[in-house]
Amino acid sequence: MTYENLLVEREGFIVKITFNRPKTLNALNSSTLRELESCLTRLRREEKDQTRVVILTGAGGKAFVAGADISEMSSFGVDDAREFAELGHRVLDLIAEAPFPVIAAINGFALGGGCEIMLACDLAYASDRAKLGQPEVNLGVIPGFGGTQRLIRRVGLARAREIVYGCDMIDAEKARDIGLILEVFPHDELESKVTGIAQHLASKAPLAISQAKRVTEKGYDESLWAAHELERQAFGLLFGTEDQTAGMKSFLEKTKAEFKGR
Ligand code: DAK
């Protein structure tokens, strides 16, 4: 897969997607979003069996993604803005609903749409140089890629309002303390730490992870009863997989299971 604005590299079951517009601090234009849509769709369809974990990061060492591309957005009318928002929502839903975990490696600025991409990922880790935030109100708009709603769910209503109203940048340690990201690593170690986490997840039963992701994602907005029903269905379904047989057999025989994703 080759793209103009993304670098896509595969190592075994792990795919690293790097936003690659360093001159604009990896700002998200429509063409980058369309490329990400096409890349994620391909990983979910044609490369489903080979893909267990995806890592998202930014090129240039200074930014993950510094937001939606303001030069492109500045000329939008109402219809363009709506179309752009729909594209952004589609792409972020592809991340949130992917059958594999997506990890954000925040190696610099993650602002506006960049922070929203991170919020759609399963796990987020940051370098000690990262700065996060939702500065859209400074531009006379609000987060447009689902950020307001995902932010509330991540850090709570009051904290989300403080972040969106105030537009202030949050450093990595504060982001960790308020639950926006999981861990902070020294800048030069971020890549190897995140790769280690991805390898750890890639060794687990992929269909079980996929169901755990689906049930936690969908169940979050359901009633407790409906969410428990989703869990019961997924639990039952997994007993029809080779991985369940292999996992339990390996436990009883005190060996390490090799999961096939079947
Ligand atoms: N868009 C376009 N270009 C950007 C950019 C961005 N978001 N961020 C940085 N750049 C460009 C700069 O213009 C500059 O380009 P040149 O001047 O060199 O040509 C280059 O990247 C380097 O940036 P700086 O020179 O500014 O670098 P500094 O280190 O001094 O500052 C910074 C870094 C990240 C603090 C600063 O660049 C900055 O404040 N950037 C903008 C951050 C921001 O406001 N991000 C949020 C964007 S708004 C919606 C859909 C989506 C959204 C909203 C609504 N609907 C459809 C309803 C989402 C909105 C956003 O994400």
Side-chain angles (χ1 to χ4, degrees), residues 12-27:
F13 289 120
I14 300 168
V15 176
K16 185 165 85 169
I17 302 175
T18 305
F19 295 101
N20 190 24
R21 300 182 74 220
K23 284 190 185 144
T24 60
L25 304 183
N26 307 318

mmCIF file with all atom_site columns, all heavy atoms in Angstrom, residues 12-27:
data_model
loop_
_atom_site.group_PDB
_atom_site.id
_atom_site.type_symbol
_atom_site.label_atom_id
_atom_site.label_alt_id
_atom_site.label_comp_id
_atom_site.label_asym_id
_atom_site.label_entity_id
_atom_site.label_seq_id
_atom_site.pdbx_PDB_ins_code
_atom_site.Cartn_x
_atom_site.Cartn_y
_atom_site.Cartn_z
_atom_site.occupancy
_atom_site.B_iso_or_equiv
_atom_site.pdbx_formal_charge
_atom_site.auth_seq_id
_atom_site.auth_comp_id
_atom_site.auth_asym_id
_atom_site.auth_atom_id
_atom_site.pdbx_PDB_model_num
ATOM 1   N N   . GLY A 1 12 ? 5.069  -8.421  10.562 1.00 0.00 ? 12 GLY A N   1
ATOM 2   C CA  . GLY A 1 12 ? 4.239  -9.537  11.037 1.00 0.00 ? 12 GLY A CA  1
ATOM 3   C C   . GLY A 1 12 ? 2.780  -9.102  11.131 1.00 0.00 ? 12 GLY A C   1
ATOM 4   O O   . GLY A 1 12 ? 2.208  -8.578  10.177 1.00 0.00 ? 12 GLY A O   1
ATOM 5   N N   . PHE A 1 13 ? 2.216  -9.287  12.326 1.00 0.00 ? 13 PHE A N   1
ATOM 6   C CA  . PHE A 1 13 ? 0.793  -8.970  12.518 1.00 0.00 ? 13 PHE A CA  1
ATOM 7   C C   . PHE A 1 13 ? 0.556  -7.492  12.853 1.00 0.00 ? 13 PHE A C   1
ATOM 8   O O   . PHE A 1 13 ? -0.564 -7.085  13.104 1.00 0.00 ? 13 PHE A O   1
ATOM 9   C CB  . PHE A 1 13 ? 0.232  -9.809  13.675 1.00 0.00 ? 13 PHE A CB  1
ATOM 10  C CG  . PHE A 1 13 ? 0.084  -11.271 13.346 1.00 0.00 ? 13 PHE A CG  1
ATOM 11  C CD1 . PHE A 1 13 ? 0.763  -12.241 14.084 1.00 0.00 ? 13 PHE A CD1 1
ATOM 12  C CD2 . PHE A 1 13 ? -0.755 -11.685 12.317 1.00 0.00 ? 13 PHE A CD2 1
ATOM 13  C CE1 . PHE A 1 13 ? 0.606  -13.585 13.810 1.00 0.00 ? 13 PHE A CE1 1
ATOM 14  C CE2 . PHE A 1 13 ? -0.912 -13.032 12.027 1.00 0.00 ? 13 PHE A CE2 1
ATOM 15  C CZ  . PHE A 1 13 ? -0.233 -13.986 12.772 1.00 0.00 ? 13 PHE A CZ  1
ATOM 16  N N   . ILE A 1 14 ? 1.644  -6.704  12.925 1.00 0.00 ? 14 ILE A N   1
ATOM 17  C CA  . ILE A 1 14 ? 1.504  -5.314  13.382 1.00 0.00 ? 14 ILE A CA  1
ATOM 18  C C   . ILE A 1 14 ? 1.689  -4.355  12.207 1.00 0.00 ? 14 ILE A C   1
ATOM 19  O O   . ILE A 1 14 ? 2.666  -4.447  11.461 1.00 0.00 ? 14 ILE A O   1
ATOM 20  C CB  . ILE A 1 14 ? 2.542  -5.022  14.487 1.00 0.00 ? 14 ILE A CB  1
ATOM 21  C CG1 . ILE A 1 14 ? 2.307  -5.985  15.666 1.00 0.00 ? 14 ILE A CG1 1
ATOM 22  C CG2 . ILE A 1 14 ? 2.467  -3.560  14.946 1.00 0.00 ? 14 ILE A CG2 1
ATOM 23  C CD1 . ILE A 1 14 ? 3.419  -6.008  16.679 1.00 0.00 ? 14 ILE A CD1 1
ATOM 24  N N   . VAL A 1 15 ? 0.744  -3.424  12.070 1.00 0.00 ? 15 VAL A N   1
ATOM 25  C CA  . VAL A 1 15 ? 0.843  -2.430  10.993 1.00 0.00 ? 15 VAL A CA  1
ATOM 26  C C   . VAL A 1 15 ? 1.016  -1.055  11.628 1.00 0.00 ? 15 VAL A C   1
ATOM 27  O O   . VAL A 1 15 ? 0.242  -0.671  12.515 1.00 0.00 ? 15 VAL A O   1
ATOM 28  C CB  . VAL A 1 15 ? -0.429 -2.447  10.115 1.00 0.00 ? 15 VAL A CB  1
ATOM 29  C CG1 . VAL A 1 15 ? -0.374 -1.350  9.058  1.00 0.00 ? 15 VAL A CG1 1
ATOM 30  C CG2 . VAL A 1 15 ? -0.585 -3.806  9.435  1.00 0.00 ? 15 VAL A CG2 1
ATOM 31  N N   . LYS A 1 16 ? 2.060  -0.344  11.176 1.00 0.00 ? 16 LYS A N   1
ATOM 32  C CA  . LYS A 1 16 ? 2.254  1.029   11.665 1.00 0.00 ? 16 LYS A CA  1
ATOM 33  C C   . LYS A 1 16 ? 1.849  2.000   10.565 1.00 0.00 ? 16 LYS A C   1
ATOM 34  O O   . LYS A 1 16 ? 2.355  1.923   9.451  1.00 0.00 ? 16 LYS A O   1
ATOM 35  C CB  . LYS A 1 16 ? 3.720  1.251   12.070 1.00 0.00 ? 16 LYS A CB  1
ATOM 36  C CG  . LYS A 1 16 ? 3.932  2.627   12.685 1.00 0.00 ? 16 LYS A CG  1
ATOM 37  C CD  . LYS A 1 16 ? 5.256  2.729   13.396 1.00 0.00 ? 16 LYS A CD  1
ATOM 38  C CE  . LYS A 1 16 ? 6.342  3.098   12.414 1.00 0.00 ? 16 LYS A CE  1
ATOM 39  N NZ  . LYS A 1 16 ? 7.609  3.480   13.021 1.00 0.00 ? 16 LYS A NZ  1
ATOM 40  N N   . ILE A 1 17 ? 0.934  2.908   10.902 1.00 0.00 ? 17 ILE A N   1
ATOM 41  C CA  . ILE A 1 17 ? 0.506  3.937   9.946  1.00 0.00 ? 17 ILE A CA  1
ATOM 42  C C   . ILE A 1 17 ? 1.013  5.282   10.470 1.00 0.00 ? 17 ILE A C   1
ATOM 43  O O   . ILE A 1 17 ? 0.679  5.683   11.592 1.00 0.00 ? 17 ILE A O   1
ATOM 44  C CB  . ILE A 1 17 ? -1.032 3.983   9.821  1.00 0.00 ? 17 ILE A CB  1
ATOM 45  C CG1 . ILE A 1 17 ? -1.582 2.617   9.389  1.00 0.00 ? 17 ILE A CG1 1
ATOM 46  C CG2 . ILE A 1 17 ? -1.462 5.079   8.842  1.00 0.00 ? 17 ILE A CG2 1
ATOM 47  C CD1 . ILE A 1 17 ? -3.111 2.531   9.364  1.00 0.00 ? 17 ILE A CD1 1
ATOM 48  N N   . THR A 1 18 ? 1.840  5.945   9.660  1.00 0.00 ? 18 THR A N   1
ATOM 49  C CA  . THR A 1 18 ? 2.414  7.225   10.078 1.00 0.00 ? 18 THR A CA  1
ATOM 50  C C   . THR A 1 18 ? 1.816  8.353   9.254  1.00 0.00 ? 18 THR A C   1
ATOM 51  O O   . THR A 1 18 ? 1.895  8.328   8.017  1.00 0.00 ? 18 THR A O   1
ATOM 52  C CB  . THR A 1 18 ? 3.950  7.196   9.882  1.00 0.00 ? 18 THR A CB  1
ATOM 53  O OG1 . THR A 1 18 ? 4.475  6.061   10.586 1.00 0.00 ? 18 THR A OG1 1
ATOM 54  C CG2 . THR A 1 18 ? 4.615  8.459   10.413 1.00 0.00 ? 18 THR A CG2 1
ATOM 55  N N   . PHE A 1 19 ? 1.208  9.332   9.916  1.00 0.00 ? 19 PHE A N   1
ATOM 56  C CA  . PHE A 1 19 ? 0.744  10.537  9.215  1.00 0.00 ? 19 PHE A CA  1
ATOM 57  C C   . PHE A 1 19 ? 1.985  11.248  8.711  1.00 0.00 ? 19 PHE A C   1
ATOM 58  O O   . PHE A 1 19 ? 2.894  11.559  9.495  1.00 0.00 ? 19 PHE A O   1
ATOM 59  C CB  . PHE A 1 19 ? -0.050 11.439  10.165 1.00 0.00 ? 19 PHE A CB  1
ATOM 60  C CG  . PHE A 1 19 ? -1.324 10.796  10.638 1.00 0.00 ? 19 PHE A CG  1
ATOM 61  C CD1 . PHE A 1 19 ? -1.413 10.214  11.885 1.00 0.00 ? 19 PHE A CD1 1
ATOM 62  C CD2 . PHE A 1 19 ? -2.437 10.751  9.808  1.00 0.00 ? 19 PHE A CD2 1
ATOM 63  C CE1 . PHE A 1 19 ? -2.588 9.607   12.312 1.00 0.00 ? 19 PHE A CE1 1
ATOM 64  C CE2 . PHE A 1 19 ? -3.621 10.145  10.220 1.00 0.00 ? 19 PHE A CE2 1
ATOM 65  C CZ  . PHE A 1 19 ? -3.691 9.573   11.485 1.00 0.00 ? 19 PHE A CZ  1
ATOM 66  N N   . ASN A 1 20 ? 2.022  11.530  7.413  1.00 0.00 ? 20 ASN A N   1
ATOM 67  C CA  . ASN A 1 20 ? 3.294  11.951  6.829  1.00 0.00 ? 20 ASN A CA  1
ATOM 68  C C   . ASN A 1 20 ? 3.167  13.260  6.047  1.00 0.00 ? 20 ASN A C   1
ATOM 69  O O   . ASN A 1 20 ? 3.345  13.295  4.840  1.00 0.00 ? 20 ASN A O   1
ATOM 70  C CB  . ASN A 1 20 ? 3.809  10.807  5.929  1.00 0.00 ? 20 ASN A CB  1
ATOM 71  C CG  . ASN A 1 20 ? 5.229  11.034  5.481  1.00 0.00 ? 20 ASN A CG  1
ATOM 72  O OD1 . ASN A 1 20 ? 5.987  11.752  6.141  1.00 0.00 ? 20 ASN A OD1 1
ATOM 73  N ND2 . ASN A 1 20 ? 5.596  10.457  4.348  1.00 0.00 ? 20 ASN A ND2 1
ATOM 74  N N   . ARG A 1 21 ? 2.821  14.340  6.787  1.00 0.00 ? 21 ARG A N   1
ATOM 75  C CA  . ARG A 1 21 ? 2.842  15.689  6.189  1.00 0.00 ? 21 ARG A CA  1
ATOM 76  C C   . ARG A 1 21 ? 3.604  16.585  7.171  1.00 0.00 ? 21 ARG A C   1
ATOM 77  O O   . ARG A 1 21 ? 3.026  17.546  7.725  1.00 0.00 ? 21 ARG A O   1
ATOM 78  C CB  . ARG A 1 21 ? 1.412  16.217  5.989  1.00 0.00 ? 21 ARG A CB  1
ATOM 79  C CG  . ARG A 1 21 ? 0.541  15.371  5.081  1.00 0.00 ? 21 ARG A CG  1
ATOM 80  C CD  . ARG A 1 21 ? -0.835 16.012  4.917  1.00 0.00 ? 21 ARG A CD  1
ATOM 81  N NE  . ARG A 1 21 ? -0.810 17.164  4.060  1.00 0.00 ? 21 ARG A NE  1
ATOM 82  C CZ  . ARG A 1 21 ? -1.511 18.289  4.287  1.00 0.00 ? 21 ARG A CZ  1
ATOM 83  N NH1 . ARG A 1 21 ? -2.269 18.404  5.368  1.00 0.00 ? 21 ARG A NH1 1
ATOM 84  N NH2 . ARG A 1 21 ? -1.437 19.299  3.456  1.00 0.00 ? 21 ARG A NH2 1
ATOM 85  N N   . PRO A 1 22 ? 4.866  16.274  7.416  1.00 0.00 ? 22 PRO A N   1
ATOM 86  C CA  . PRO A 1 22 ? 5.574  16.964  8.507  1.00 0.00 ? 22 PRO A CA  1
ATOM 87  C C   . PRO A 1 22 ? 5.653  18.480  8.341  1.00 0.00 ? 22 PRO A C   1
ATOM 88  O O   . PRO A 1 22 ? 5.718  19.196  9.344  1.00 0.00 ? 22 PRO A O   1
ATOM 89  C CB  . PRO A 1 22 ? 6.968  16.321  8.507  1.00 0.00 ? 22 PRO A CB  1
ATOM 90  C CG  . PRO A 1 22 ? 7.077  15.561  7.233  1.00 0.00 ? 22 PRO A CG  1
ATOM 91  C CD  . PRO A 1 22 ? 5.708  15.246  6.769  1.00 0.00 ? 22 PRO A CD  1
ATOM 92  N N   . LYS A 1 23 ? 5.599  18.977  7.079  1.00 0.00 ? 23 LYS A N   1
ATOM 93  C CA  . LYS A 1 23 ? 5.695  20.432  6.886  1.00 0.00 ? 23 LYS A CA  1
ATOM 94  C C   . LYS A 1 23 ? 4.512  21.164  7.500  1.00 0.00 ? 23 LYS A C   1
ATOM 95  O O   . LYS A 1 23 ? 4.597  22.357  7.822  1.00 0.00 ? 23 LYS A O   1
ATOM 96  C CB  . LYS A 1 23 ? 5.780  20.768  5.389  1.00 0.00 ? 23 LYS A CB  1
ATOM 97  C CG  . LYS A 1 23 ? 7.152  20.468  4.832  1.00 0.00 ? 23 LYS A CG  1
ATOM 98  C CD  . LYS A 1 23 ? 7.309  21.016  3.425  1.00 0.00 ? 23 LYS A CD  1
ATOM 99  C CE  . LYS A 1 23 ? 8.665  20.584  2.884  1.00 0.00 ? 23 LYS A CE  1
ATOM 100 N NZ  . LYS A 1 23 ? 8.602  20.301  1.445  1.00 0.00 ? 23 LYS A NZ  1
ATOM 101 N N   . THR A 1 24 ? 3.385  20.480  7.615  1.00 0.00 ? 24 THR A N   1
ATOM 102 C CA  . THR A 1 24 ? 2.208  21.110  8.231  1.00 0.00 ? 24 THR A CA  1
ATOM 103 C C   . THR A 1 24 ? 1.918  20.469  9.593  1.00 0.00 ? 24 THR A C   1
ATOM 104 O O   . THR A 1 24 ? 0.785  20.511  10.079 1.00 0.00 ? 24 THR A O   1
ATOM 105 C CB  . THR A 1 24 ? 0.953  20.953  7.343  1.00 0.00 ? 24 THR A CB  1
ATOM 106 O OG1 . THR A 1 24 ? 0.714  19.542  7.186  1.00 0.00 ? 24 THR A OG1 1
ATOM 107 C CG2 . THR A 1 24 ? 1.108  21.590  5.985  1.00 0.00 ? 24 THR A CG2 1
ATOM 108 N N   . LEU A 1 25 ? 2.926  19.870  10.191 1.00 0.00 ? 25 LEU A N   1
ATOM 109 C CA  . LEU A 1 25 ? 2.759  19.141  11.459 1.00 0.00 ? 25 LEU A CA  1
ATOM 110 C C   . LEU A 1 25 ? 1.662  18.080  11.332 1.00 0.00 ? 25 LEU A C   1
ATOM 111 O O   . LEU A 1 25 ? 0.861  17.879  12.239 1.00 0.00 ? 25 LEU A O   1
ATOM 112 C CB  . LEU A 1 25 ? 2.491  20.103  12.623 1.00 0.00 ? 25 LEU A CB  1
ATOM 113 C CG  . LEU A 1 25 ? 3.547  21.203  12.848 1.00 0.00 ? 25 LEU A CG  1
ATOM 114 C CD1 . LEU A 1 25 ? 3.218  22.037  14.075 1.00 0.00 ? 25 LEU A CD1 1
ATOM 115 C CD2 . LEU A 1 25 ? 4.943  20.617  12.996 1.00 0.00 ? 25 LEU A CD2 1
ATOM 116 N N   . ASN A 1 26 ? 1.661  17.441  10.155 1.00 0.00 ? 26 ASN A N   1
ATOM 117 C CA  . ASN A 1 26 ? 0.747  16.327  9.866  1.00 0.00 ? 26 ASN A CA  1
ATOM 118 C C   . ASN A 1 26 ? -0.727 16.719  9.941  1.00 0.00 ? 26 ASN A C   1
ATOM 119 O O   . ASN A 1 26 ? -1.584 15.889  10.306 1.00 0.00 ? 26 ASN A O   1
ATOM 120 C CB  . ASN A 1 26 ? 1.039  15.121  10.778 1.00 0.00 ? 26 ASN A CB  1
ATOM 121 C CG  . ASN A 1 26 ? 2.496  14.713  10.712 1.00 0.00 ? 26 ASN A CG  1
ATOM 122 O OD1 . ASN A 1 26 ? 3.080  14.687  9.637  1.00 0.00 ? 26 ASN A OD1 1
ATOM 123 N ND2 . ASN A 1 26 ? 3.107  14.433  11.849 1.00 0.00 ? 26 ASN A ND2 1
ATOM 124 N N   . ALA A 1 27 ? -1.011 17.983  9.599  1.00 0.00 ? 27 ALA A N   1
ATOM 125 C CA  . ALA A 1 27 ? -2.409 18.437  9.613  1.00 0.00 ? 27 ALA A CA  1
ATOM 126 C C   . ALA A 1 27 ? -3.251 17.554  8.687  1.00 0.00 ? 27 ALA A C   1
ATOM 127 O O   . ALA A 1 27 ? -2.795 17.113  7.629  1.00 0.00 ? 27 ALA A O   1
ATOM 128 C CB  . ALA A 1 27 ? -2.485 19.891  9.151  1.00 0.00 ? 27 ALA A CB  1
#
